[in-house]
């Protein structure tokens, strides 16, 4: 199975400051069709997960433009340009290129 | 508005069984694959099982294969997960999610989850 490794595990951030989460895969996520199936999800405390980004950098409808995804091959990054209070929670990357689907262990974002 | 509403969770003894349901609304259910994903205490998200829109193809994580059965009733817009031979490490919140994002986009909508606790 493809192992997804996120860092850091915990990320204390200051409101209004940028934040960055890394996700690395044990195999390249570039598929033969030219797409890279790397997704980012956000789960607030007590809520269900919400997809933020699909195919590395495509933001879902309604997701603020302070969120951006980038990367290729095995190295991916989720960036928040200016953290707001509603951004707390756990962020997960997930690969959909290889069977079976696998998630990263999560990064917990909290406000300092 | 698209909605997914899970039910059927609860407390069950090790070795017991439980059936989860997920009622869908707001989209053409039969046109979409559906999945179950779980979140165990202190752990991250884990994909559990998926089923094609017609129900003809099913997929399972190794951790549940042979014990869990996914199914759907497109006349009722409902997804199911029959869980047998339950173990302590099956304790988790179980979410249904729209889609099966293997080399396609998916998991764009999630239910609120239902808690399954396996304990004696």
């Amino acid at each position: 199975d493809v192992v997804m490794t996120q860092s850091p595990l915990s990320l204390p951030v200051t409101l209004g400051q940028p934040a960055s989460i890394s996700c690395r895969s044990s195999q390249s996520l570039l598929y033969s069709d030219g797409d890279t199936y790397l997704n980012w999800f956000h789960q607030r405390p007590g809520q269900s997960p919400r997809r933020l980004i699909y195919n590395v950098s495509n933001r879902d409808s309604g997701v603020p433009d302070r969120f951006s995804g980038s990367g290729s091959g095995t190295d991916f990054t989720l960036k928040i340009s200016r953290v707001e209070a509603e951004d707390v929670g756990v962020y997960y990357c997930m690969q959909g290129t290889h069977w079976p689907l696998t998630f990263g262990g999560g990064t917990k974002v909290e406000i300092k | 508005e698209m909605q997914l509403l899970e039910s059927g969770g609860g407390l069950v003894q090790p070795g017991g069984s439980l059936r989860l349901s997920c009622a869908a609304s707001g989209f053409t259910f039969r046109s979409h694959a559906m999945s179950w994903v779980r979140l165990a205490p202190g752990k991250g998200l884990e994909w559990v099982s998926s089923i094609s829109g017609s129900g003809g193809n099913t997929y399972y994580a190794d951790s549940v294969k042979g014990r869990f059965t996914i199914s759907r009733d497109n006349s009722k817009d409902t997804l199911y997960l029959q869980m047998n031979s339950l173990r302590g490490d099956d304790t988790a919140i179980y979410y249904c999610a729209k889609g099966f994002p293997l080399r396609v986009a998916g998991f764009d909508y999630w239910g609120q989850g239902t808690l399954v606790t396996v304990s004696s």
Side-chain angles (χ1 to χ4, degrees):
Chain A
D1 297 1
V2 175
V3 177
M4 304 296 289
T5 303
Q6 288 183 233
S7 61
L9 264 61
S10 177
L11 183 58
V13 295
T14 302
L15 290 174
Q17 294 300 302
S20 179
I21 299 171
S22 171
C23 175
R24 291 184 172 170
S25 57
S26 60
Q27 299 177 37
S28 174
L29 300 186
L30 175 62
Y31 189 54
S32 55
D33 64 2
D35 279 327
T36 299
Y37 298 98
L38 187 282
N39 305 269
W40 288 97
F41 298 88
H42 176 214
Q43 186 168 28
R44 293 189 181 108
Q47 296 188 15
S48 53
R50 174 196 185 192
R51 194 181 71 183
L52 300 175
I53 303 279
Y54 63 95
N55 290 17
V56 180
S57 59
N58 295 280
R59 222 172 16 249
D60 269 277
S61 174
V63 174
D65 61 7
R66 64 178 181 275
F67 289 94
S68 64
S70 63
S72 63
T74 61
D75 287 335
F76 304 92
T77 303
L78 176 70
K79 291 183 179 177
I80 310 173
S81 59
R82 295 172 306 279
V83 172
E84 297 190 6
E86 64 181 15
D87 300 337
V88 299
V90 183
Y91 290 80
Y92 296 95
C93 59
M94 187 210 81
Q95 69 83 22
T97 298
H98 303 281
W99 170 269
L101 306 178
T102 48
F103 288 87
T107 294
K108 186 175 183 178
V109 171
E110 57 186 9
I111 305 300
K112 283 182 183 176
Chain B
E1 181 190 359
M2 200 172 302
Q3 276 198 323
L4 298 170
L5 186 62
E6 301 94 335
S7 60
L11 175 63
V12 61
Q13 292 188 339
S17 298
L18 213 53
R19 188 173 89 150
L20 307 183
S21 300
C22 171
S25 61
F27 65 102
T28 307
F29 182 70
R30 65 181 178 274
S31 296
H32 296 275
M34 295 292 295
S35 301
W36 290 96
V37 178
R38 66 186 180 184
L39 179 65
K43 296 195 173 182
L45 294 169
E46 180 189 14
W47 169 75
V48 173
S49 182
S50 299
I51 186 169
S52 62
S54 66
N57 294 295
T58 57
Y59 311 86
Y60 298 95
D62 284 346
S63 58
V64 306
K65 198 168 188 177
R67 301 186 299 121
F68 290 11
T69 302
I70 191 172
S71 62
R72 63 192 296 160
D73 185 338
N74 286 344
S75 70
K76 296 182 179 178
D77 289 352
T78 302
L79 175 71
Y80 302 101
L81 186 67
Q82 176 67 43
M83 303 186 296
N84 299 330
S85 303
L86 283 162
R87 312 185 303 220
D89 60 1
D90 294 318
T91 294
I93 299 173
Y94 285 74
Y95 299 98
C96 68
K98 176 173 162 284
F100 175 35
L102 182 64
R103 300 159 197 155
V104 294
F107 288 1
D108 49 344
Y109 287 92
W110 297 64
Q112 87 291 345
T114 187
L115 177 62
V116 172
T117 303
V118 184
S119 175
S120 55

